[in-house]
Amino acid sequence: MSMKQNDVLFLYTLRLADDALILGHRLGEWCSKAPILEEDLALTNIALDMIGRAEAILRYAAEVEGKGHTEDDLAYKRPERKFYNHLLVEQENGDFAHTIARQLFISTFEYHLYTALLKSSDENIAGIAAKAIKEIKYHKKHASDWCIRLGDGTDESKVRMQTALNDLWMYTGELFETDEINEWLHEGGIAADLSKLEGPWKTDIVDVLGQAKLTVPTSGYMQTGSRKGVHTEKLGYILAEMQYLQRAYPDAKW
Amino acid sequence: MENIQDSQWPLWEVFIQSQPGTPYKHAGSVHGPDKSIAMQNARDTYFRRNEGTSIWIVPSNAIVASDPNDSDMLFDPSNDKAYRHPTFYTMPEGALNI
């Protein structure tokens, strides 16, 4: 592989890894604070799935980068503008309904993305996808069941669930945004064709919201920026907390 | 027995099977608003460390338990009937799991 191809693959692996890393951090924030003990375990279990996936992809990313970095270097020493997670996953947990709306949008997206990546010509990515897809199926079911339960629940849970879906809808357009990095790697059989994921994603969302007796948001206004490393103000706070130790005590070990 | 109500969701009893073919054993209980979410909660609470291959969940109020006051009547009569235990046979060497 030429240098340029490796640079492009490096950016692509960061996109995959950062979604898992940042969402894992967000879900971990529920630890000890979830509405009920069982849900505390469920959300932090999902967080651990995410951190595990982030670790595996960042390890591969470091190998692709070829500069002698480790997965920890990439997680704890990269500046904000070099993070490529979708804006959706860095949004705050909010109330339980907001967390479920975020989980529904992202896990449905990941289900279709990683199903496509099972056939990636890059055997590392295909291998990671094979492990991840089992976890993602569960995350998708968890979010879908809760969305239906809350939407078709009490007056208050219905309002909260609909509000959460409406609030986060503007971060869903970015999931299907493509650029030369994605297109080039897709042509090489490595990346998924994002334009083919939006239809199945929307079908699933419409199905779940239908069962939940909720309304699919129709606003066409979408936020964008993360493909170029431009984020909402929320990411800076996450990184400040996540990277504090390595920034204050570089290379600290225990 | 009366179903014990608390301030949370309905209670479910969780039974796990560690390997195919082996009996289900009671693992504990979880709360869940419906069977689908109760099943997920059972999985997340009792299956985090590769404990098994199958789960049963049962609404706790569907379990009929014996009354502790009836223990004399139910259990004591079998105390002195050692002949009901198959301990008078010589087991063939190499016979496992009997």
Side-chain angles (χ1 to χ4, degrees), chain A residues 109 113 174-178 182 192-198:
Chain A
F109 170 71
L113 174 66
E174 200 186 43
L175 300 173
F176 309 102
E177 220 174 74
T178 190
N182 203 85
D193 182 358
L194 291 174
S195 67
K196 290 208 175 120
L197 304 187
E198 187 165 10

Side-chain angles (χ1 to χ4, degrees), chain B residues 3-91:
Chain B
N3 179 36
I4 299 164
Q5 290 291 339
D6 60 26
S7 60
Q8 307 194 65
W9 297 322
L11 201 58
W12 303 72
E13 299 303 320
V14 181
F15 299 84
I16 68 178
Q17 187 188 41
S18 55
Q19 288 171 42
T22 57
Y24 285 73
K25 285 188 181 165
H26 187 232
S29 51
V30 290
H31 294 94
D34 59 35
K35 61 186 178 183
S36 178
I37 289 173
M39 178 60 88
Q40 292 177 43
N41 288 343
R43 181 264 193 187
D44 285 325
T45 307
Y46 297 107
F47 275 74
R48 305 171 65 227
R49 300 177 189 86
N50 203 24
E51 283 91 342
T53 55
S54 179
I55 312 176
W56 283 350
I57 57 168
V58 180
S60 297
N61 61 12
I63 302 233
V64 182
S66 59
D67 186 338
N69 294 327
D70 290 341
S71 291
D72 290 358
M73 170 184 84
L74 292 174
F75 309 122
D76 287 355
S78 59
N79 265 352
D80 58 353
K81 298 184 176 63
Y83 52 85
R84 287 181 180 168
H85 292 275
T87 52
F88 304 97
Y89 304 97
T90 311
M91 300 299 287

Side-chain angles (χ1 to χ4, degrees), chain A:
Chain A
M1 267 189 162
S2 74
M3 263 321 281
K4 199 180 172 210
Q5 272 178 307
N6 262 14
D7 290 347
V8 172
L9 181 58
F10 176 59
L11 285 176
Y12 187 70
T13 53
L14 290 182
R15 289 178 178 183
L16 296 176
D18 289 347
D19 268 358
L21 182 65
I22 299 302
L23 187 59
H25 186 91
R26 272 292 186 228
L27 290 168
E29 290 174 352
W30 273 110
C31 189
S32 83
K33 300 191 188 77
I36 191 165
L37 178 64
E38 286 83 347
E39 201 49 38
D40 208 288
L41 285 169
L43 291 170
T44 48
N45 263 345
I46 297 173
L48 284 175
D49 288 347
M50 290 294 173
I51 303 288
R53 194 199 311 164
E55 188 182 21
I57 305 175
L58 284 177
R59 193 178 305 132
Y60 179 49
E63 190 185 313
V64 171
E65 186 194 24
K67 291 185 181 167
H69 289 144
T70 67
E71 60 271 27
D72 286 343
D73 293 332
L74 293 177
Y76 299 122
K77 294 178 182 172
R78 251 185 311 148
E80 185 183 343
R81 287 296 302 268
K82 302 268 184 195
F83 268 79
Y84 298 100
N85 57 280
H86 288 104
L87 301 178
L88 175 63
V89 300
E90 70 200 33
Q91 299 310 305
E92 286 165 345
N93 286 334
D95 62 8
F96 186 60
H98 277 78
T99 291
I100 292 302
R102 193 182 60 202
Q103 284 301 108
L104 178 71
F105 290 152
I106 194 69
S107 62
T108 304
F109 170 71
E110 285 186 337
Y111 174 74
H112 294 290
L113 174 66
Y114 279 83
T115 299
L117 290 179
L118 289 171
K119 295 189 219 109
S120 173
S121 60
D122 182 307
E123 62 181 28
N124 280 291
I125 291 177
I128 289 164
K131 181 168 185 291
I133 195 70
K134 295 178 192 167
E135 298 170 348
I136 292 166
K137 279 183 191 167
Y138 185 76
H139 304 164
K140 182 169 178 274
K141 179 166 173 49
H142 173 263
S144 303
D145 281 357
W146 267 117
C147 187
I148 293 164
R149 167 55 61 170
L150 294 173
D152 192 15
T154 64
D155 289 344
E156 180 173 2
S157 72
K158 186 183 183 69
V159 169
R160 282 180 182 247
M161 196 63 234
Q162 187 66 58
T163 304
L165 294 164
N166 295 350
D167 287 351
L168 292 171
W169 185 251
M170 65 178 165
Y171 299 108
T172 59
E174 200 186 43
L175 300 173
F176 309 102
E177 220 174 74
T178 190
D179 61 3
E180 64 278 12
I181 290 176
N182 203 85
E183 272 164 24
W184 196 28
L185 288 174
H186 166 57
E187 281 162 22
I190 293 173
D193 182 358
L194 291 174
S195 67
K196 290 208 175 120
L197 304 187
E198 187 165 10
W201 179 85
K202 188 79 182 282
T203 303
D204 284 351
I205 298 295
V206 168
D207 175 47
V208 171
L209 298 194
Q211 290 182 62
K213 301 182 180 155
L214 293 164
T215 309
V216 181
T218 50
S219 166
Y221 172 71
M222 292 293 169
Q223 293 276 4
T224 180
S226 73
R227 302 303 82 189
K228 294 184 165 60
V230 179
H231 292 274
T232 63
E233 71 277 15
K234 317 281 190 336
L235 183 65
Y237 291 99
I238 295 178
L239 295 183
E241 187 178 338
M242 193 169 81
Q243 298 184 335
Y244 166 76
L245 195 82
Q246 280 298 319
R247 298 288 188 192
Y249 305 98
D251 302 319
K253 291 196 176 4
W254 67 79

